[in-house]
Amino acid sequence: MPRLSKKTMFAIEAVLDVAFHMGDHPVRSGDITERQRIPKRYLEQVLQHLVRAGILSGKRGPRGGYRLGRDKASITLGEVVRVVRNLEVETEPSDPSIGSPLAHEVVWPLWEKLREEMMAQLDNVTIEDLCEQARSKGLNGPAVQPHAGHAAI
């Protein structure tokens, strides 16, 4: 199955963090970095792509930060994953001479079918669903401390 890359996980965590902590003021990237322990070099790049895709909206300046680009019930996990996947594809080699006819005719088409099925499932999970799941696990915002090895939302 396609792997969950660091960038994909960081993007999901960033969108959830914004959804979970959004209030009267935008959520600052520094706060996301601190809460989710996402390296700033990854976070800034991912946030820019999420803004371009309309998942987040950004505001520059001292009172700047990020908000959801639209209602969290209308943003799906599949959308977030696609933004990062498109970013990663830009840097992947695309040499069609790699692989055998067996790979081209059997393995890759199967892999693509499985990927499409997984993306269809991710398209049925909204950011609101994930926020509700976080709350049901007792994660109620910045005052909640992360469990060892897990980032709080």
Side-chain angles (χ1 to χ4, degrees), residues 2-41:
R3 66 182 176 83
L4 181 60
S5 71
K6 283 183 186 180
K7 281 185 183 178
T8 301
M9 186 57 147
F10 293 157
I12 294 167
E13 287 178 306
V15 173
L16 279 173
D17 188 282
V18 171
F20 216 62
H21 294 101
M22 195 170 60
D24 293 338
H25 302 287
V27 177
R28 296 178 349 174
S29 64
D31 293 337
I32 299 170
T33 297
E34 187 177 307
R35 283 190 291 262
Q36 305 308 328
R37 293 182 232 132
I38 300 172
K40 193 170 183 91
R41 69 181 183 274

Side-chain angles (χ1 to χ4, degrees), residues 20-93:
F20 216 62
H21 294 101
M22 195 170 60
D24 293 338
H25 302 287
V27 177
R28 296 178 349 174
S29 64
D31 293 337
I32 299 170
T33 297
E34 187 177 307
R35 283 190 291 262
Q36 305 308 328
R37 293 182 232 132
I38 300 172
K40 193 170 183 91
R41 69 181 183 274
Y42 286 116
L43 182 63
E44 291 300 329
Q45 181 184 33
V46 167
L47 289 172
Q48 289 172 11
H49 281 81
L50 291 166
V51 167
R52 280 188 218 127
I55 293 171
L56 295 179
S57 66
K59 180 181 177 188
R60 295 180 190 261
R63 293 186 179 254
Y66 296 89
R67 295 184 178 277
L68 293 179
R70 54 186 195 277
D71 185 69
K72 61 187 167 188
S74 69
I75 300 171
T76 70
L77 200 49
E79 286 180 88
V80 176
V81 170
R82 280 184 192 90
V83 167
V84 177
R85 180 69 187 129
N86 290 338
L87 174 62
E88 291 173 338
V89 166
E90 291 173 8
T91 61
E92 287 179 0

